[in-house]
Amino acid sequence: MSLHARDVEQDVRELSTLLGEVLSEQTSSAALETVERVRRGAIAYRRDDADSRATLREELDTLDAVNREVVARAFGTYFELTNLAEERERVRAIREGTDAGTLADSLTEAVQRFADAGADPETVEQVFEDTLIQPTFTAHPTEARRKTVKAKLREVAHIIEDLDEHRLTEREHERLERALEAEVTSLWQTPQIRDRRPEVTDEALNVQWYLENVLFDVVGDVYDELERALAEHYPEVDVPKLFEFRSWAGSDRDGNPYVTPEVTAETLQRQRAVVLEKYRDEFKELSGILSQDSHEFEVLDRFSERLAADKERLPGVADEVESRYPDEPYRQKLKLMRERVERVGDVRQGGYTDADELLVDLETIADSLHADGADVVAETAVAPLIRKVDTFGFSLASLDLRDHRENHTETVAAVFDRVGVDYANMDEDERVAVLTDAILQSEPVVDVGDQSGYDDLPARVLRRFDALADWQREYGVDAIDTYCISMTEEPSHVLEVLFLADQAGVVDLPGYCGLDVVPLLETESALSGARRIMGTLFENEAYAAALAARDDVQEIMLGYSDSNKENGFLAAKWSLHRNQKRLAAITDDYDVDLRLFHGRGGSISRGGGSMNEALLALPTETVTGQVKFTEQGEAIAEKYANPQIAERNFEQMLNAQLRARYRALTDGEDGTPEAGQSAMATAADAARREYRDLLETDGFVSYFEQATPITVIEDLNLGSRPASRSGERTVEDLRAIPWVFSWTQARCILPGWYGLGTGLQAYIDGEARSASDASGEQPRDGGDVETLRELYDEWPFFGTMLDNAALALARTDMEIAAEYAGLAGDDRDPFFRRIAAEYERTVDLVLSITGRDRLPPRAWIADNLDRRNPYVDPLNLLQVRLLDQDDLTDAEERALRLTVKGIAAGMKSTG
């Protein structure tokens, strides 16, 4: 019997038809016919039924302001609904593959790989002990949809699920169809564009929604699947904690003046309240299951002791539970546990001190059930809750603080100036020395609680560190125990944060450090200077003591976004790959455990793409088991809005990380082919020169401003953080997200491939020189395409990199990009010709190396693009017309913003 009643074509067709009916009812039949003419014109050209877009252009040119808005909204809404249809198709593939046992990258497959390789239980257990995956949700402004719109789309998704998976009577089917019509009608009537910039609290609530409504329940299912897979081959292997969720929403201060201590405190309080309420609900549900009669079943003495201790701790509640559940000890215990959770952070005595104490109670219940033969009850009812408490603790997601290193330097200079030390004019060695002495001395240099007399910036930073000490006392150290430093360039930038934390009492050396201090290395100078930076820190007496107090684990964040914007796609990829290996060598030399924090974005150019493929492509020596990475914007919704897709993502990530860690333990080889090293060194040099030359050519910034909708994007109210760092109009000043977003809107996804073709061709021709060749040595010998083909097949780094570039190339449409380039007037020809030539060069080489006749690396991606392109085109052409107008009516202004939102939905990407 089929698991599903529908397919993606039916979903798209019926949703499109319904949208047309709603459009006609809510506007007019004439408006619907206008939209239909535009649609037919776009499809005709894409299917080669028309020689040009003349008919489509003519139709768009005749639209009045009102119909421009209608067209923009209609096509944008089509994509929102189509995205739901494709999400449902992903769920179908997951369910059918699971049922048939054919799902790739599953946990069953991972365990089977271990068994086939002859892995002994001790090695497999070590792999699990080493593994910890930390998705970190950020509030970076890449989500174009309003929260209200997302909520309505979720309702539509639920209805489609019911239609697809349930056997329905005719009446039930009619009711669901009516409900679907109502939701789509309401969606059409709902404002699509934000009238205000979202506040930091809005962003924190958005992240919280996924944690509370999806991930809290999914985690237990992932562990259950893993334990079932292990039961056949490795029943003796215990599964430790493998996932931990973190968040920047409400705590990332870098470039966002609205992230205040009050916002962070509110986020901590709200997240704790949410997760504790979830536990209370779970206990209530569990109480309905654990109704065992003490006359028929025995409990462990350890359980009885903990129950008695709770009754003594909460005598008033004890009387109630004994009266209500006289012969049901588990129910008595759960009621007392609910009360103890209720009192966490309360003025009343008796609350749990931390999540570990709650875990002991749950584990004792499970042990007691096992001892009495109720294994299935313990495994199905209690074990998932144990996993939840172990994962989410009392904080739901731990917060990372982050700020720019310049703010810490200015603050430390102000602090030392108070005591007559001229820190601002010291050189680096002097700064390291004075910071080290100040950290190690017993008396504080400054009272961080007294911010009077300081300028605004130092006062804000001191207030944050003062609040950090309060937060850790109130919510526990684990709730907020990481501080990331943007644009780290020197050892002193790390020691400055350690010093401020020490002054606040968060650090007390030797012996105690309540903070992981995490340098973010994102510029070429910082990455190339990693040994100097990290070696100085590891040899520093104060920092070494702090590291020892944190179990000698050093977290280092790599910035994918700014590295790409600075160096271009290929050079950034190679630099990050090489420097990860360099960081692994440095930490290995100092006997420090490395945890890499990958600052990935949603788009290919910012490190996006398949997470499991990315994990398998990491240099072997960097795979310590622990890995951390950012999740942001539309990528969060795409991966975690649907429970089945979320579970699948976790399963694939865990599959990849377990396999990678096993490979590192048992093989440990570098994995970089010698030919690959040579090819990439040559290609990356040439690619970076080409990319930097483009950006540094006179007039490029002006071209970028005119040939993309950057000026519209900056005013879109996508996020609480400003789009640029200082308001200056330079590529360097612009944040990576709007940089990528702008090119994506113009269908010229330059950050995802520019320079790649030049670099690969330079390797083939032997024309590029490395930095060491600059002294006058002869260029390297030329390479060949056959070597690159072998690297593509055999080297995961190169294969993944090329497939990601192919995806960015496939989403690029130079014919549409030419429309935007036309807005640049006299600046058009030199830049667009150059960009188009690089595109053609790169496409030819990628197809030749991969051996494909189409760019998309998978057939389903090609199908999705074929389905989408005819509907994105009208939005692009309409956007170009609106951008070319000097004065827009209110309706045209709304239409312009709707085109941005619609193209983002159609491309399934912003930045």
Side-chain angles (χ1 to χ4, degrees):
M1 184 179 71
S2 175
L3 293 174
H4 303 100
R6 302 163 69 90
D7 58 29
V8 67
E9 286 79 12
Q10 181 181 355
D11 285 338
V12 171
R13 183 175 62 253
E14 292 186 6
L15 286 170
S16 301
T17 300
L18 176 57
L19 175 60
E21 293 169 356
V22 169
L23 191 158
S24 179
E25 291 172 1
Q26 298 299 312
T27 55
S28 66
S29 56
L32 173 61
E33 181 53 37
T34 297
V35 171
E36 279 296 295
R37 287 196 300 271
V38 171
R39 184 182 71 87
R40 287 193 295 267
I43 290 174
Y45 181 72
R46 283 285 180 175
R47 291 180 177 173
D48 293 328
D49 293 334
D51 295 332
S52 71
R53 288 193 170 101
T55 301
L56 176 58
R57 292 176 191 281
E58 182 180 344
E59 191 64 45
L60 292 172
D61 287 340
T62 60
L63 295 179
D64 59 21
V66 172
N67 276 317
R68 283 179 165 184
E69 184 177 358
V70 169
V71 167
R73 187 166 191 172
F75 281 91
T77 305
Y78 165 83
F79 281 122
E80 298 285 20
L81 297 174
T82 296
N83 289 344
L84 294 181
E86 291 178 353
E87 175 185 277
R88 177 102 295 264
E89 186 70 0
R90 289 176 66 192
V91 171
R92 290 187 189 103
I94 293 168
R95 297 183 78 229
E96 289 168 356
T98 301
D99 189 53
T102 58
L103 207 59
D105 307 323
S106 68
L107 296 177
T108 300
E109 179 198 69
V111 173
Q112 187 64 52
R113 282 175 179 268
F114 295 157
D116 291 345
D120 57 73
E122 292 75 20
T123 301
V124 173
E125 187 139 23
Q126 185 63 56
V127 168
F128 283 112
E129 286 293 336
D130 293 344
T131 298
L132 181 65
I133 298 173
Q134 296 179 306
T136 302
F137 299 97
T138 79
H140 289 351
T142 59
E143 174 61 86
R145 292 172 296 190
R146 294 181 61 221
K147 182 180 177 181
T148 303
V149 170
K150 288 192 294 183
K152 292 184 180 301
L153 291 169
R154 279 296 100 208
E155 287 302 313
V156 172
H158 292 322
I159 295 170
I160 298 173
E161 177 183 349
D162 288 343
L163 289 168
D164 187 38
E165 295 185 11
H166 298 165
R167 296 187 67 182
L168 303 169
T169 66
E170 185 175 345
R171 184 63 182 273
E172 289 169 339
H173 192 277
E174 288 175 357
R175 284 176 177 168
L176 285 174
E177 292 284 3
R178 288 286 292 167
L180 184 60
E181 181 182 357
E183 285 296 340
V184 174
T185 301
S186 179
L187 177 65
W188 181 266
Q189 293 176 335
T190 300
Q192 301 287 304
I193 304 298
R194 294 188 181 103
D195 58 4
R196 65 173 179 87
R197 185 176 291 275
E199 297 177 359
V200 178
T201 301
D202 298 326
E203 295 168 335
L205 284 168
N206 181 55
V207 167
Q208 179 188 305
W209 185 92
Y210 294 99
L211 291 161
E212 176 185 359
N213 293 289
V214 180
L215 304 184
F216 185 83
D217 293 316
V218 161
V219 162
D221 295 334
V222 176
Y223 281 107
D224 180 65
E225 184 67 25
L226 177 59
E227 287 170 337
R228 285 172 176 270
L230 283 168
E232 181 178 353
H233 298 288
Y234 301 99
E236 66 273 54
V237 172
D238 293 326
V239 178
K241 176 179 175 179
L242 299 171
F243 291 100
E244 183 177 280
F245 297 101
R246 306 190 69 91
S247 175
W248 283 8
S251 58
D252 176 14
R253 181 61 176 75
D254 181 25
N256 193 337
Y258 308 111
V259 179
T260 63
E262 289 77 14
V263 167
T264 304
E266 180 186 345
T267 303
L268 287 165
Q269 190 280 328
R270 187 178 58 250
Q271 288 188 172
R272 182 172 71 178
V274 164
V275 78
L276 294 180
E277 180 65 28
K278 298 288 285 187
Y279 295 150
R280 291 197 296 273
D281 291 344
E282 292 271 344
F283 296 158
K284 187 173 183 180
E285 184 176 338
L286 191 57
S287 182
I289 299 171
L290 303 187
S291 55
Q292 283 80 354
D293 187 337
S294 60
H295 295 301
E296 301 292 332
F297 300 92
E298 294 184 5
V299 296
L300 288 179
D301 290 343
R302 189 167 71 253
F303 174 85
S304 297
E305 290 166 4
R306 295 192 70 83
L307 175 59
D310 275 357
K311 288 180 177 179
E312 185 177 345
R313 186 180 288 113
L314 303 169
V317 183
D319 291 342
E320 178 189 344
V321 299
E322 288 173 352
S323 172
R324 186 171 182 181
Y325 308 116
D327 301 314
E328 297 171 298
Y330 292 128
R331 281 183 161 179
Q332 289 182 17
K333 178 63 174 170
L334 288 165
K335 176 62 177 176
L336 290 161
M337 289 167 65
R338 285 188 72 197
E339 183 63 26
R340 293 194 68 190
V341 167
E342 179 76 35
R343 296 188 183 196
V344 171
D346 202 327
V347 294
R348 295 172 295 171
Q349 298 298 308
Y352 284 107
T353 56
D354 55 36
D356 288 340
E357 195 177 0
L358 172 56
L359 272 175
V360 172
D361 270 350
L362 288 169
E363 288 165 351
T364 304
I365 291 173
D367 290 344
S368 185
L369 289 167
H370 281 299
D372 208 30
D375 293 348
V376 68
V377 178
E379 290 165 5
T380 60
V382 184
L385 182 53
I386 290 174
R387 292 299 188 186
K388 291 173 183 178
V389 174
D390 196 25
T391 302
F392 297 98
F394 283 175
S395 57
L396 190 63
S398 301
L399 298 187
D400 287 6
L401 292 163
R402 186 175 74 134
D403 203 352
H404 197 285
R405 46 96 171 170
E406 290 179 350
N407 296 336
H408 308 130
T409 301
E410 183 175 334
T411 301
V412 170
V415 165
F416 277 118
D417 188 61
R418 283 278 180 97
V419 294
V421 177
D422 188 10
Y423 181 86
N425 289 311
M426 289 180 177
D427 63 24
E428 175 62 18
D429 290 342
E430 291 171 327
R431 288 184 175 187
V432 168
V434 74
L435 287 166
T436 303
D437 289 344
I439 293 167
L440 292 175
Q441 73 181 33
S442 56
E443 295 299 316
V445 174
V446 62
D447 176 8
V448 296
D450 179 11
Q451 297 103 35
S452 60
Y454 288 101
D455 290 341
D456 181 57
L457 190 149
R460 287 203 314 269
V461 174
L462 290 174
R463 193 159 70 94
R464 184 189 315 140
F465 279 90
D466 185 38
L468 174 59
D470 293 336
W471 295 332
Q472 291 197 342
R473 283 190 292 270
E474 172 70 17
Y475 300 101
V477 173
D478 290 346
I480 183 164
D481 65 348
T482 298
Y483 200 114
C484 186
I485 307 160
S486 299
M487 290 291 174
T488 298
E489 296 282 344
E490 299 290 348
S492 63
H493 297 151
V494 177
L495 291 174
E496 286 164 355
V497 169
L498 187 63
F499 164 74
L500 291 169
D502 173 72
Q503 301 301 294
V506 173
V507 173
D508 186 13
L509 300 177
Y512 178 74
C513 182
L515 206 63
D516 284 331
V517 185
V518 180
L520 169 49
L521 308 179
E522 47 196 327
T523 64
E524 186 60 33
S525 61
L527 289 165
S528 61
R531 179 165 286 277
R532 174 183 59 82
I533 297 169
M534 300 312 303
T536 300
L537 290 170
F538 294 154
E539 293 174 5
N540 180 273
E541 182 182 358
Y543 194 77
L547 203 58
R550 302 295 290 180
D551 298 324
D552 283 319
V553 175
Q554 175 63 61
E555 182 175 309
I556 301 175
M557 185 174 184
L558 299 173
Y560 286 66
S561 302
D562 283 292
S563 179
N564 178 283
K565 187 161 69 71
E566 178 187 9
N567 302 295
F569 176 77
L570 179 59
K573 292 288 186 187
W574 181 235
S575 175
L576 286 163
H577 187 81
R578 285 188 301 111
N579 283 293
Q580 288 177 61
K581 293 160 66 70
R582 182 181 298 169
L583 291 169
I586 296 167
T587 51
D588 188 56
D589 288 346
Y590 286 93
D591 199 24
V592 170
D593 292 327
L594 173 65
R595 177 170 60 234
L596 282 176
F597 183 5
H598 301 273
R600 292 161 46 98
S603 62
I604 295 300
S605 57
R606 297 181 54 241
S610 168
M611 190 64 217
N612 55 306
E613 290 179 2
L615 290 172
L616 288 169
L618 292 175
T620 302
E621 58 268 49
T622 71
V623 183
T624 61
Q626 296 193 31
V627 66
K628 186 174 175 181
F629 49 88
T630 52
E631 298 276 29
Q632 56 190 260
E634 267 103 350
I636 297 177
E638 186 173 348
K639 292 180 180 180
Y640 304 115
N642 182 288
Q644 289 164 302
I645 292 174
E647 182 179 350
R648 172 64 172 154
N649 270 289
F650 288 134
E651 185 178 55
Q652 289 181 296
M653 284 190 284
L654 187 54
N655 170 292
Q657 189 67 357
L658 292 173
R659 289 166 54 194
R661 182 55 186 156
Y662 177 75
R663 183 181 63 200
L665 280 175
T666 57
D667 184 359
E669 290 297 320
D670 176 0
T672 302
E674 185 176 342
Q677 180 85 22
S678 174
M680 288 301 298
T682 301
D685 284 346
R688 186 181 190 279
R689 285 198 302 272
E690 171 62 27
Y691 176 79
R692 291 305 311 175
D693 188 64
L694 174 70
L695 266 60
E696 291 164 8
T697 299
D698 287 344
F700 176 77
V701 172
S702 175
Y703 173 81
F704 168 67
E705 275 193 308
Q706 296 174 83
T708 74
I710 177 61
T711 55
V712 181
I713 288 168
E714 288 175 320
D715 295 328
L716 263 185
N717 295 331
L718 290 183
S720 65
R721 192 171 70 164
S724 64
R725 291 181 169 87
S726 68
E728 296 180 6
R729 176 56 78 227
T730 63
V731 173
E732 288 72 22
D733 180 69
L734 191 69
R735 294 193 180 279
I737 292 167
W739 164 253
V740 177
F741 193 0
S742 301
W743 289 111
T744 303
Q745 285 279 305
R747 304 283 289 283
C748 181
I749 311 179
L750 176 151
W753 49 261
Y754 193 87
L756 175 61
T758 291
L760 294 175
Q761 192 62 53
Y763 160 72
I764 293 168
D765 296 341
E767 294 175 355
R769 299 185 181 198
S770 69
S772 61
D773 294 330
S775 59
E777 296 178 23
Q778 291 299 312
R780 296 185 180 92
D781 293 335
D784 57 77
V785 173
E786 189 55 42
T787 298
L788 295 177
R789 288 172 182 156
E790 292 174 3
L791 292 174
Y792 175 75
D793 291 334
E794 300 170 8
W795 187 19
F797 164 76
F798 190 73
T800 300
M801 184 268 294
L802 220 60
D803 280 347
N804 284 337
L807 190 54
L809 289 163
R811 288 174 172 163
T812 294
D813 187 312
M814 293 308 295
E815 192 173 342
I816 293 293
E819 302 280 342
Y820 287 85
L823 297 172
D826 293 340
D827 293 333
R828 176 193 187 279
D829 285 349
F831 290 108
F832 185 72
R833 278 203 305 267
R834 182 172 180 176
I835 292 168
E838 181 67 12
Y839 173 80
E840 294 297 335
R841 182 182 302 115
T842 307
V843 168
D844 289 344
L845 281 168
V846 167
L847 291 177
S848 177
I849 294 166
T850 62
R852 295 192 295 265
D853 56 6
R854 292 190 68 177
L855 284 167
R858 294 174 183 82
W860 66 266
I861 297 176
D863 291 342
N864 282 1
L865 290 172
D866 288 344
R867 185 183 299 121
R868 289 165 178 278
N869 280 335
Y871 293 84
V872 184
D873 295 348
L875 289 168
N876 285 120
L877 296 173
L878 178 55
Q879 187 178 92
V880 168
R881 280 155 178 74
L882 292 165
L883 289 171
D884 199 32
Q885 286 185 218
D886 292 330
D887 296 308
L888 299 177
T889 65
D890 289 345
E892 288 170 333
E893 184 67 39
R894 289 193 298 271
L896 178 56
R897 290 169 177 255
L898 284 167
T899 62
V900 174
K901 177 180 173 296
I903 294 168
M907 300 291 287
K908 298 185 80 169
S909 177
T910 52

